[in-house]
Amino acid sequence: MMIYDLDSKRYLARHPRWALGWFDRLRGMIGRRFAAGEFDAMVFPRCGAVHSWWMTVPIDLVFLDRESKVIRLKSDFRPWRLPAGCRGAVTVIELPAGAIERAACRVGHRINLNSTLDGETIEKLQSETILKNAGASPCSAEPGTGTGTNKGFR
């Protein structure tokens, strides 16, 4: 699964690792380096703050809310720093330093944490009429109108 910025239409990571177990969460990036083509992000679900003690490389941090919207960015977070956090964050993504700038990621952007499509396919789908008019759904139609809206759909 890749990590894709739906607003800048760029990938944040193509080979992320998920810190799901207690040991992976404890270790994080300690003793690791990002390696092109095999490991380019560490994702911490159920997390709102991270530290950089015992790390050897600077990293970029992306803090996401429950809807996978960026609520804080921290670039060039250096090794041996006290925790950086964000109120309301439920997921933190650690990236190589400079990744936020390269992906043109900004606060407010929507992030797809489980992208399996390439950028061209996502862009094509977003431009399709069916996605532009996704609010029209016969399932949520008001009686007698034949149209409706599904305000929860993005």
Side-chain angles (χ1 to χ4, degrees):
M1 300 285 179
M2 297 176 271
I3 302 173
Y4 188 77
D5 185 323
L6 294 166
D7 294 297
S8 71
K9 296 182 174 57
R10 294 182 184 177
Y11 281 98
L12 282 167
R14 294 179 184 272
H15 307 282
R17 267 194 195 155
W18 289 74
L20 300 175
W22 72 270
F23 183 74
D24 286 335
R25 295 174 73 82
L26 178 68
R27 179 178 178 196
M29 284 299 296
I30 295 170
R32 293 184 174 153
R33 291 187 178 269
F34 295 108
E38 62 181 75
F39 169 48
D40 60 358
M42 178 69 80
V43 181
F44 294 87
R46 301 176 319 279
C47 179
V50 296
H51 66 82
S52 63
W53 299 329
W54 299 286
M55 288 187 196
T56 58
V57 296
I59 58 177
D60 283 356
L61 302 173
V62 179
F63 296 87
L64 304 176
D65 68 9
R66 292 187 190 283
E67 294 159 355
S68 294
K69 186 183 274 188
V70 177
I71 56 175
R72 182 179 183 208
L73 297 167
K74 181 142 183 74
S75 297
D76 202 33
F77 188 53
R78 296 282 179 184
W80 294 97
R81 299 291 185 246
L82 293 173
C86 179
R87 179 175 280 167
V90 298
T91 302
V92 180
I93 305 169
E94 295 181 346
L95 300 157
I100 290 173
E101 186 177 330
R102 284 190 298 279
C105 186
R106 303 287 180 260
V107 170
H109 281 198
R110 296 165 295 133
I111 304 299
N112 181 344
L113 291 168
N114 300 305
S115 179
T116 57
L117 303 173
D118 62 59
E120 286 181 33
T121 304
I122 291 172
E123 206 167 313
K124 182 179 177 188
L125 289 171
Q126 287 177 330
S127 68
E128 295 288 328
T129 305
I130 192 165
L131 289 179
K132 284 184 180 175
N133 298 320
S137 169
C139 296
S140 61
E142 293 184 26
T145 64
T147 63
T149 59
N150 182 353
K151 294 181 181 168
F153 185 80
R154 289 184 186 194

